[in-house]
C-alpha cells in the first residue's frame, strides 16, 4: 500500500468526517460521516468532551495533525480553528492504512511542521490539564504572553515551568525570534559572564580566536529563559541586573556596547522571597523579575489532572513504543490519585514510561508498577531479633529493610532512594518487584 496514493486521496475522500468543538473541548457537532466511521450515536457524542473520545490525546494547536484512537480505531486527524471553536477532521483511518505507515507518516509530518519554526517547540496546546488551577495559570500566562514584561515562573520541580516559558514565547510577538535557555545551575560562576555576555577575540587566554556571542546577544529580539535563577551567585546576579536595567550588553574584552531587546522569563523552584530575606538573592533583581509571578500548581494540588495526564502519556508512549495499551486498571488509578507526586508531572510521565516498558497486553496494572507502602519497619526494629536464618534469607531480610528505609527517607521517590542506596534505579526497581514490596 503506497503512502503517496493515500495522501493524494486525503483531500477528496474523507473530508466529510468532522467534529466541531467549542474552545473548552465540548463537542458541538459531528458529521454523519464521522458518526458512521466510528459507529457512534450523535446524542451520545454531543455535549461530551473531545478528550474522552480521543482517549487522552489532545492537540489543540491550530493546523496540527495528530494521531488518536477513537472507539478503538487508530486514525490521523487535523485540527483547525473555526468560529468559536475547533474543527477536527479525520484524514485517515486504521483500516485504510497500516498502523505503522500511519505512524511514520505522522512523524514525517511532525518533522515538516517543526522544521518550519526552529525557535521553541511548545505552545499552550501542549500544556495538558483541565483542572481549574492549571486553566487559571494557562489563561493568565496567555494574557501576559503578549506583553513584554519579565515573567517569573515558580513551581516545584517537574510542574512544567520550561513548558510554560516556551508556550509564552510562542504566543508572543517575539515568536519568530530565538528562544534561548540558560540553566543557571549548570554554569559555574567564572563562566557565567562569558556565557551570557560573550567575548571578543583575545579577551582572555583560551578564548576562541574569533570571539563568541553571549546568550543575551543570541536572544536578541527573542526570549531569554533563565532556568533555576536562584542558583546564580550573588555576583552574577548583579551583572545580570545591570543588563536588565541598562538594556545594553558589552562582550568581555569588547569596546562598545550593543542595545539589548530581549524578554526575560525566569524560573525557580525555590521561594525567592525567603532567599531575599536570607540575603542569598538580591532584592533589586528580585523586584525586576517579580513583575508577573506565575505560580504553577503542584500535581497533588490538581488531582483532577492526574488521570488525564496519565492517559495522554500512555498515548504518547503507545506511539513511540508501538504498543497498544488501552487503559489502566482501577487499583492503579486509585493509587495514582492517592499518591503525592513529589516530582510532579515529570515523575508521572516517567512512571508511565516505566510501566509501559514492562506492560503486556492492553491494560496497565498496579501489580507491575506497585508502590511500596511503608509498614512495620519501626515495629520490626523494636522486636526481638529473629533466630538466625540461612545466609540467603538473612541477606534478603537485610536488603528489604534497607530498601524500605531508603524509600521512606526519600519520601517514596525511587530515584532518590536508589541514590541513597548507591545503586542504579533500575536495580532498585528489580529488587522492589523481586521482593514484591508494596
Ligand atoms: N501540563 C503538562 N502537560 C504535559 N506535559 C507536561 C506538563 N507539565 C509538565 N510536563 C512534562 O513534564 C516534564 C517536566 O516539565 P518541565 O521540564 O517543564 O518542568 P520544570 O518545572 O521545568 O521542572 P524542573 O524544575 O525540574 O526543571 C516535561 O517532560 C514536560 O513535557
Ligand atoms: Mg526546568
Amino acid at each position: 500500500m503506497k503512502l503517496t496514493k493515500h495522501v493524494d486521496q486525503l483531500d477528496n475522500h474523507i473530508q466529510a468526517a468532522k467534529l466541531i468543538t467549542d474552545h473548552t473541548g465540548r463537542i458541538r457537532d459531528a458529521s454523519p460521516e464521522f458518526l458512521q466511521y466510528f459507529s457512534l450515536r450523535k446524542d451520545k457524542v454531543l455535549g461530551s468532551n473531545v478528550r474522552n473520545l480521543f482517549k487522552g490525546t489532545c492537540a489543540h494547536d491550530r493546523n496540527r495533525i495528530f494521531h488518536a484512537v477513537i472507539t478503538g480505531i487508530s486514525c490521523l486527524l487535523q485540527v483547525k480553528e473555526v468560529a468559536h471553536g475547533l474543527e477536527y477532521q479525520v484524514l485517515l483511518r486504521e483500516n485504510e492504512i497500516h498502523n505503522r505507515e500511519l505512524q511514520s507518516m505522522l512523524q514525517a509530518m511532525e518533522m515538516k511542521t517543526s522544521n518550519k519554526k526552529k525557535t521553541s517547540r511548545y505552545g499552550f496546546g501542549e500544556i495538558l490539564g483541565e483542572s481549574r488551577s492549571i486553566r487559571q495559570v494557562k489563561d493568565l500566562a496567555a494574557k501576559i504572553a503578549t506583553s513584554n514584561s519579565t515573567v517569573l515562573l515558580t513551581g516545584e520541580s517537574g510542574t512544567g515551568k520550561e513548558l510554560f516559558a516556551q508556550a509564552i514565547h510562542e504566543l508572543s510577538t517575539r515568536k519568530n525570534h530565538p528562544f534561548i535557555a540558560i540553566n543557571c545551575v549548570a554554569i559555574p560562576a567564572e563562566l557565567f559572564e562569558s556565557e551570557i555576555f560573550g567575548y571578543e577575540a583575545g579577551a582572555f587566554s583560551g578564548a576562541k580566536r574569533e570571539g563568541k556571542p553571549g546568550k543575551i546577544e543570541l536572544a536578541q529580539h527573542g526570549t531569554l529563559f533563565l532556568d533555576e535563577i536562584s542558583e546564580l551567585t550573588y555576583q552574577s546576579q548583579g551583572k545580570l541586573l545591570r543588563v536588565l536595567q541598562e538594556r545594553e550588553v558589552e562582550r568581555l574584552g569588547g569596546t562598545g556596547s550593543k542595545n539589548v531587546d530581549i524578554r526575560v522569563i525566569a524560573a525557580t523552584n525555590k521561594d525567592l522571597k525567603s532567599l531575599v530575606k536570607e540575603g542569598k538573592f538580591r532584592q533589586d533583581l528580585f523586584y525586576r523579575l517579580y513583575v508577573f509571578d506565575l505560580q504553577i500548581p503542584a500535581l497533588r494540588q490538581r488531582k483532577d489532572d492526574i488521570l488525564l495526564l496519565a492517559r495522554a502519556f500512555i498515548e504518547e508512549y503507545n506511539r513511540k513504543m508501538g504498543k497498544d495499551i488501552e487503559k489502566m486498571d482501577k487499583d492503579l488509578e486509585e493509587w495514582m490519585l492517592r499518591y503525592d507526586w513529589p516530582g510532579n508531572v515529570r515523575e508521572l510521565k516517567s512512571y508511565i514510561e516505566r510501566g509501559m516498558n514492562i506492560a503486556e497486553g492492553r491494560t496497565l496494572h498496579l501489580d507491575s508498577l506497585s508502590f511500596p507502602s511503608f509498614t512495620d519497619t519501626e515495629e520490626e526494629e523494636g522486636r526481638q531479633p529473629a533466630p538466625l536464618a540461612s545466609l540467603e534469607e538473612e541477606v534478603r531480610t537485610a536488603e528489604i529493610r534497607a530498601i524500605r528505609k531508603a524509600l521512606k527517607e526519600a519520601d517514596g521517590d525511587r530515584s532518590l532512594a536508589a541514590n541513597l542506596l548507591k545503586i542504579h534505579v533500575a536495580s532498585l526497581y528489580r529488587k522492589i518487584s523481586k521482593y514484591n514490596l508494596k
Side-chain angles (χ1 to χ4, degrees):
M1 204 186 272
K2 267 255 167 292
L3 256 181
T4 41
K5 192 171 121 220
H6 283 276
V7 179
D8 290 342
Q9 287 175 354
L10 293 185
D11 294 328
N12 39 42
H13 191 52
I14 346 178
Q15 258 187 0
K18 285 178 187 171
L19 194 69
I20 309 252
T21 71
D22 64 16
H23 278 300
T24 67
R26 194 178 299 279
I27 299 171
R28 289 189 350 230
D29 198 13
S31 70
E33 290 81 359
F34 186 94
L35 297 166
Q36 196 200 339
Y37 262 35
F38 302 106
S39 320
L40 288 161
R41 272 179 44 195
K42 194 160 187 170
D43 56 334
K44 286 256 158 79
V45 171
L46 294 192
S48 67
N49 196 296
V50 71
R51 280 169 207 275
N52 302 335
L53 194 62
F54 292 174
K55 290 215 317 178
T57 314
C58 316
H60 297 309
D61 272 10
R62 260 165 280 169
N63 297 323
R64 270 263 329 249
I65 293 173
F66 67 103
H67 173 250
V69 179
I70 305 176
T71 57
I73 299 168
S74 187
C75 57
L76 211 54
L77 294 133
Q78 179 161 34
V79 52
K80 285 183 193 153
E81 185 127 8
V82 292
H84 313 300
L86 296 172
E87 179 191 274
Y88 293 83
Q89 189 192 333
V90 181
L91 298 179
L92 288 168
R93 267 194 325 176
E94 189 174 50
N95 56 358
E96 283 155 344
I97 192 160
H98 190 274
N99 213 352
R100 203 167 315 127
E101 278 182 302
L102 191 70
Q103 279 166 18
S104 64
M105 178 171 161
L106 179 69
Q107 273 163 8
M109 282 177 168
E110 276 178 349
M111 265 160 61
K112 231 163 105 188
T113 42
S114 64
N115 279 347
K116 267 193 237 149
K117 38 175 190 173
K118 39 183 179 319
T119 44
S120 87
R121 291 168 301 152
Y122 297 103
F124 281 100
E126 259 85 0
I127 304 177
L128 307 179
E130 289 297 315
S131 61
R132 243 178 95 92
S133 56
I134 197 79
R135 271 191 290 142
Q136 275 173 351
V137 184
K138 279 201 271 187
D139 287 351
L140 187 60
K143 275 190 200 129
I144 61 183
T146 47
S147 94
N148 239 334
S149 305
T150 302
V151 178
L152 179 64
L153 295 166
T154 51
E156 289 178 14
S157 178
T159 44
K161 296 184 291 294
E162 179 144 12
L163 216 53
F164 267 93
Q166 291 182 337
I168 291 172
H169 173 77
E170 274 299 297
L171 206 67
S172 75
T173 52
R174 298 172 174 271
K175 67 167 183 226
N176 294 320
H177 297 284
F179 175 90
I180 301 284
I182 310 182
N183 188 328
C184 301
V185 190
I187 308 180
E190 326 74 81
L191 278 184
F192 179 75
E193 280 183 63
S194 73
E195 275 288 321
I196 77 160
F197 301 132
Y199 51 80
E200 292 297 354
F204 48 87
S205 64
K208 273 195 201 151
R209 174 96 57 78
E210 63 282 20
K212 192 181 154 206
K215 299 261 168 139
I216 293 175
E217 249 179 89
L218 291 176
Q220 185 71 328
H221 306 308
T223 303
L224 183 69
F225 176 51
L226 298 164
D227 204 0
E228 317 259 8
I229 185 96
S230 63
E231 303 307 303
L232 277 186
T233 61
Y234 208 79
Q235 195 188 348
S236 300
Q237 291 171 25
K239 302 243 156 82
L240 178 66
L241 178 68
R242 197 151 344 114
V243 179
L244 298 184
Q245 270 168 350
E246 290 163 19
R247 295 268 153 199
E248 45 185 44
V249 64
E250 187 178 341
R251 288 192 187 184
L252 302 182
T255 44
S257 55
K258 280 187 191 152
N259 262 347
V260 172
D261 167 35
I262 52 170
R263 192 228 197 126
V264 171
I265 302 181
T268 180
N269 53 24
K270 302 258 163 70
D271 179 15
L272 280 192
K273 262 187 209 151
S274 29
L275 292 181
V276 170
K277 276 197 203 118
E278 290 164 29
K280 291 185 183 137
F281 200 84
R282 292 182 64 123
Q283 188 166 29
D284 42 12
L285 180 59
F286 173 72
Y287 283 119
R288 274 261 144 198
L289 301 173
Y290 195 61
V291 184
F292 282 110
D293 180 20
L294 218 58
Q295 293 176 5
I296 308 176
L299 191 53
R300 84 186 77 86
Q301 294 163 334
R302 45 181 167 112
K303 296 216 164 196
D304 308 0
D305 286 338
I306 293 176
L307 295 182
L308 176 151
L309 282 163
R311 293 191 187 110
F313 294 145
I314 290 177
E315 283 301 324
E316 184 180 332
Y317 290 117
N318 267 341
R319 265 200 321 268
K320 285 188 183 154
M321 300 176 177
K323 292 221 173 182
D324 205 4
I325 303 286
E326 281 173 351
K327 56 180 184 350
M328 296 168 276
D329 71 11
K330 269 276 154 287
D331 288 348
L332 177 57
E333 290 192 348
E334 277 166 21
W335 176 82
M336 289 174 107
L337 291 171
R338 275 199 315 269
Y339 182 55
D340 247 12
W341 301 108
N344 293 294
V345 185
R346 177 182 295 113
E347 185 184 6
L348 175 62
K349 193 168 182 179
S350 50
Y351 185 79
I352 296 290
E353 183 180 5
R354 286 192 303 261
M356 303 258 315
N357 265 307
I358 44 179
E360 281 157 18
R362 304 203 159 205
T363 310
L364 215 52
H365 293 288
L366 181 61
D367 308 358
S368 54
L369 275 165
S370 71
F371 203 85
S373 70
F374 312 107
T375 47
D376 59 43
T377 14
E378 262 103 87
E379 275 172 57
E380 250 170 41
E381 260 138 33
R383 257 189 247 148
Q384 282 288 315
L388 188 65
S390 68
L391 181 61
E392 197 185 336
E393 196 51 43
E394 287 287 327
V395 170
R396 181 188 152 91
T397 319
E399 244 187 358
I400 291 176
R401 185 167 304 143
I403 291 170
R404 285 208 169 129
K405 208 166 146 188
L407 284 166
K408 193 171 184 184
E409 253 166 60
D411 216 4
D413 182 327
R414 291 182 175 194
S415 323
L416 190 60
N419 267 341
L420 292 172
L421 293 165
K422 300 202 170 54
I423 57 173
H424 195 272
V425 65
S427 150
L428 178 62
Y429 272 93
R430 269 196 301 277
K431 288 182 195 297
I432 287 173
S433 106
K434 175 174 160 198
Y435 297 134
N436 206 11
L437 297 176
K438 287 191 187 171

